[in-house]
Amino acid sequence: MPMRLSSLFLTLAAFVIAGALAIVAAYFSSRLIEDASIVGVQSELDREGLTWATVDANGLQVFLAGNAPTEADRFQAVSAAGRVVDAARVLDQMTVTESEGLTPPRFSVEILRNDAGLSLIGLIPAKTDRAELLDRIQRKVGRDVPVSDFLEGASFDAPASWDDALEFALSTLGDLPRSKISVEIDKVSVTAMAGSGEEKRRLEADLVRRTPPDVKLALDLTAPRPVITPFTLRFVIDEDGARFDACSADTEDSRTRILAAAAAIGLQDKADCRIGLGVPTRRWAEAVELSLNALARLGGDSVTISDADISLIAREDTDPDLYDQVIGELENALPPVFALTAVLPETPDVSDQGPPEFTATLSPEGAVALRGRINSDIARVTAESFAQARFGSGVVRMAARVDDSLTPAWSVRVLAGLEALAELNNGAVIITPDLISVTGNTGNPTATDEIAALLAEKLGEGQDFEINVTYLEKLDPVLGIPTPEECEAQIVEVIGDRKITFEPGSATLDASAKDIMDEVAELLKLCGDIPLEIQGHTDSQGRESMNLDLSQARAEAVLQALLDRRIPTSAYTAKGYGEANPIADNGTEEGREANRRIEFRLIRPAPAQDSTTTLESLSQTGQDTGNADDTGTNTDAADTATDQQGTNASE
């Protein structure tokens, strides 16, 4: 019995010891597996750059923890662990950083239009009404124009400027039959071909004017080269310096050579040459360079090239030997196609009669006055009829007298001068036997070139003329800038039934006036520098002096509000009239309300006074005109031209 118990005990002890050994072995084996899994997975994560992830193990299970930057990073960590251990053993305990919202895509549209149709390519917000968009495009370009829609949509909201940019781009389609328009969130780029230079200028001005304030505009407009006929260049060197009255070139290289030659002989002001078709020879630039150098060697006066005819007029005091040498060298050096006519004027004899003169003036209001001498009754009627045909029958005043001593060529000079005057908005033409002088203002940027070409063609070779014409952007009809009178009327239309109001008894604009001032300011940006009076008016309640001061303060407050909106106000004045100019009955509340007002009034020039020249005065009294009389005529004509050009006089 004791032996059996001892044997049983030994057996049990053996089993216990074996079990303990198995447990110890299993524990150490498990730790080895866990450590190997942790080390292997962590190494793989580090190799992938996923250092934010941590690894732990419990037996065969592997736990991944940490804060993943994105969902994609979390998935990458799980995949990396699955490459080291069985993916079934990987337990994901990772979190993902909360997203602040996805960045919207860069919306853009390319609009391509040509004679074959129109294509839309790009990405737009998904909420855009595609059918309405296409319908608007068809209305702009015509129902017969095929429209191809290759647009994609994205479910994101676009900035407010996107709608403005797209709306502006669509508004241009009707004017651009051959174009590429690129629309971005805050920018519109337009590449197009215009039908002419004038159309190009009109489109540029119109697009710039209509561009929304929160949209940038990039323009690349081109136009075919114009045909210049006659192909004209005129260069003058006088006491005022060197200048071009007209400049034409056939290529960019030709223009560069001509401008460089002019700069070398004293041209300092910025100048340009029109590039166009119609050049008589490819050696045009060479002929111009030779002619300019010859003129400079002679010390001035002018050289005019019309097609292949060159007319060079020297100064009266030019040395005859130098003149002969320079002209001879120029004749031999010119390309064969060119014909040179050179003139060395003789110093005129001083006589009692003085040189005859004809003056034509055109006022800013369109009135035309013709004075001086003309060679016959028929020529007088012809000149008056021609002026009436060009300027209007009701605006021409003929005050020229007949001088039978003048040659028949005088009437040709008169008609040429009137035709040149028609190129101006206001100005004067003075005609003498030796010179035609054209001065004034114009809204045509190429008027000087056109006048030079006209006079060169009409007067013929060897005839001298001078042109002093100023281009004013505000007179340019292509730019669509309203006239001062139109601006005055449009301000009234913009304000309409509304009023610019102030806080009671003060000169502080109230909140309701902001929109009106914004709209008036936008209009005045187009009007430019016009003479404008901002008038303040009050009702009759209170002391007259107090009302006058209040109306002045309110007018100045409106002027300041325009200045705050970056409107140039140098030509504006603010004036208070108090209760002096009521427009309604001050005895009623409605009338007093109407009398409390701000008005914008154009300051118009004082009416020009008709004056009789010295020549006309002596003619009427039957006296002979002396040399001093002709000097008086010149002064009066110049003064008249100056008076007619002024537009900023106060009432």
Side-chain angles (χ1 to χ4, degrees):
M1 186 69 178
M3 287 295 294
R4 293 182 62 190
L5 289 174
S6 177
S7 176
L8 180 60
F9 176 79
L10 290 174
T11 302
L12 291 173
F15 275 108
V16 170
I17 293 171
L21 292 174
I23 292 173
V24 171
Y27 170 78
F28 282 105
S29 297
S30 174
R31 290 299 301 172
L32 288 173
I33 294 173
E34 290 175 358
D35 291 343
S37 298
I38 292 173
V39 172
V41 172
Q42 190 68 64
S43 297
E44 183 68 15
L45 293 175
D46 292 343
R47 192 179 66 80
E48 293 286 333
L50 305 173
T51 56
W52 49 266
T54 61
V55 184
D56 197 5
N58 185 3
L60 296 179
Q61 291 181 323
V62 176
F63 300 93
L64 297 181
N67 193 16
T70 66
E71 186 66 31
D73 290 325
R74 184 195 67 79
F75 180 78
Q76 185 180 1
V78 173
S79 299
R83 289 195 295 270
V84 178
V85 300
D86 188 351
R89 294 168 51 194
V90 178
L91 297 180
D92 180 6
Q93 295 181 339
M94 295 177 289
T95 59
V96 179
T97 302
E98 185 176 352
S99 175
E100 296 180 356
L102 296 178
T103 302
R106 187 73 176 175
F107 293 115
S108 64
V109 174
E110 292 280 347
I111 305 175
L112 307 176
R113 186 182 178 192
N114 53 32
D115 295 336
L118 184 146
S119 299
L120 299 169
I121 306 169
L123 181 68
I124 62 175
K127 68 178 183 180
T128 303
D129 188 337
R130 188 78 64 90
E132 194 271 339
L133 175 64
L134 295 177
D135 184 66
R136 290 174 58 196
I137 292 174
Q138 291 283 190
R139 291 200 303 269
K140 285 287 185 182
V141 302
R143 298 292 180 182
D144 57 335
V145 176
V147 176
S148 302
D149 178 9
F150 302 106
L151 295 173
E152 298 290 340
S155 299
F156 290 89
D157 292 330
S161 58
W162 166 257
D163 292 332
D164 292 340
L166 183 60
E167 178 67 27
F168 171 65
L170 296 182
S171 71
T172 67
L173 288 176
D175 297 323
L176 304 172
R178 291 173 296 278
S179 59
K180 183 183 81 169
I181 305 173
S182 302
V183 186
E184 299 177 47
I185 290 177
D186 57 354
K187 182 180 179 181
V188 174
S189 302
V190 178
T191 303
M193 169 75 75
S196 64
E198 183 173 305
E199 182 184 357
K200 175 177 177 287
R201 292 174 50 245
R202 180 188 64 78
L203 285 173
E204 287 175 337
D206 183 57
L207 292 176
V208 170
R209 184 170 58 247
R210 292 193 291 109
T211 304
D214 56 348
V215 175
K216 299 176 183 177
L217 175 63
L219 279 178
D220 183 14
L221 300 183
T222 58
R225 292 183 178 182
V227 176
I228 302 175
T229 179
F231 212 81
T232 306
L233 181 141
R234 176 175 170 82
F235 192 77
V236 178
I237 302 177
D238 57 17
E239 60 274 6
D240 295 327
R243 68 180 186 276
F244 280 107
D245 280 346
C247 186
S248 304
D250 55 325
T251 64
E252 290 283 356
D253 179 66
S254 176
R255 174 164 61 183
T256 301
R257 290 176 58 184
I258 291 171
L259 294 179
I265 62 173
L267 177 67
Q268 296 181 347
D269 296 336
K270 182 179 179 181
D272 195 12
C273 283
R274 289 192 299 166
I275 296 180
L277 306 176
V279 66
T281 172
R282 291 298 180 187
R283 300 180 67 182
W284 170 265
E286 178 187 350
V288 172
E289 290 172 328
L290 292 169
S291 301
L292 295 185
N293 290 332
L295 183 67
R297 291 176 61 190
L298 294 174
D301 182 347
S302 69
V303 60
T304 304
I305 309 178
S306 179
D307 288 335
D309 297 320
I310 301 177
S311 176
L312 190 151
I313 300 177
R315 296 169 59 93
E316 293 177 357
D317 57 355
T318 302
D319 178 61
D321 293 335
L322 175 63
Y323 172 81
D324 291 338
Q325 176 186 348
V326 171
I327 296 303
E329 292 175 356
L330 178 60
E331 286 179 333
N332 292 325
L334 285 171
V337 70
F338 289 95
L340 173 64
T341 300
V343 177
L344 178 59
E346 297 180 359
T347 303
D349 295 332
V350 178
S351 63
D352 292 336
Q353 181 66 18
E357 181 179 282
F358 180 88
T359 301
T361 59
L362 171 63
S363 75
E365 295 75 25
V368 177
L370 308 179
R371 304 178 180 183
R373 305 186 198 179
I374 201 157
N375 54 313
S376 67
D377 288 326
I378 294 177
R380 187 177 188 274
V381 173
T382 301
E384 184 175 13
S385 299
F386 182 83
Q388 289 175 344
R390 296 304 299 264
F391 303 101
S393 58
V395 299
V396 177
R397 177 175 175 265
M398 170 60 80
R401 71 180 180 89
V402 174
D403 184 348
D404 295 334
S405 65
L406 297 173
T407 65
W410 184 261
S411 60
V412 175
R413 299 174 68 82
V414 168
L415 294 179
L418 292 176
E419 196 167 349
L421 186 65
E423 299 294 331
L424 307 179
N425 287 74
N426 57 78
V429 173
I430 300 176
I431 301 170
T432 65
D434 300 321
L435 181 70
I436 292 182
S437 175
V438 183
T439 61
N441 298 322
T442 179
N444 178 5
T446 62
T448 298
D449 294 77
E450 294 172 9
I451 292 172
L454 166 70
L455 294 179
E457 182 181 23
K458 299 293 185 181
L459 300 180
E461 301 173 7
Q463 299 298 310
D464 197 11
F465 54 88
E466 63 181 25
I467 304 170
N468 185 16
V469 172
T470 302
Y471 167 71
L472 299 178
E473 189 175 86
K474 64 182 180 181
L475 300 177
D476 194 337
V478 175
L479 299 182
I481 299 176
T483 65
E485 291 77 12
E486 290 172 338
C487 282
E488 182 184 37
Q490 289 176 17
I491 293 173
V492 175
E493 183 178 344
V494 164
I495 297 177
D497 296 332
R498 301 174 296 173
K499 290 185 64 175
I500 298 175
T501 54
F502 301 81
E503 295 181 3
S506 77
T508 302
L509 288 160
D510 66 18
S512 65
K514 178 183 181 300
D515 291 342
I516 300 177
M517 293 305 305
D518 288 344
E519 294 178 32
V520 171
E522 285 300 316
L523 174 59
L524 290 177
K525 287 179 182 178
L526 299 179
C527 294
D529 193 19
I530 64 172
L532 197 65
E533 183 178 79
I534 302 171
Q535 301 179 354
H537 301 273
T538 67
D539 58 29
S540 61
Q541 289 187 322
R543 296 193 306 273
E544 183 177 350
S545 60
M546 183 181 69
N547 288 334
L548 186 62
D549 292 342
L550 179 61
S551 65
Q552 179 67 36
R554 288 181 170 179
E556 291 175 353
V558 172
L559 182 63
Q560 183 61 46
L562 293 175
L563 189 61
D564 293 342
R565 288 164 172 79
R566 299 184 178 181
I567 303 300
T569 59
S570 59
Y572 299 174
T573 59
K575 185 173 182 180
Y577 288 88
E579 60 190 64
N581 299 320
I583 58 174
D585 184 7
N586 275 310
T588 65
E589 179 57 36
E590 293 79 7
R592 291 191 292 271
E593 175 64 25
N595 290 331
R596 296 190 293 267
R597 68 195 189 278
I598 292 290
E599 294 183 348
F600 295 83
R601 296 299 181 195
L602 184 67
I603 302 175
R604 290 175 168 80
Q609 300 294 325
D610 285 340
S611 59
T612 303
T613 65
T614 303
L615 179 65
E616 292 171 334
S617 176
L618 294 179
S619 174
Q620 292 168 1
T621 58
Q623 299 178 11
D624 291 332
T625 305
N627 189 52
D629 295 334
D630 278 319
T631 302
T633 302
N634 290 336
T635 303
D636 180 69
D639 290 343
T640 301
T642 303
D643 292 341
Q644 297 289 0
Q645 294 176 33
T647 59
N648 291 336
S650 299
E651 290 180 322

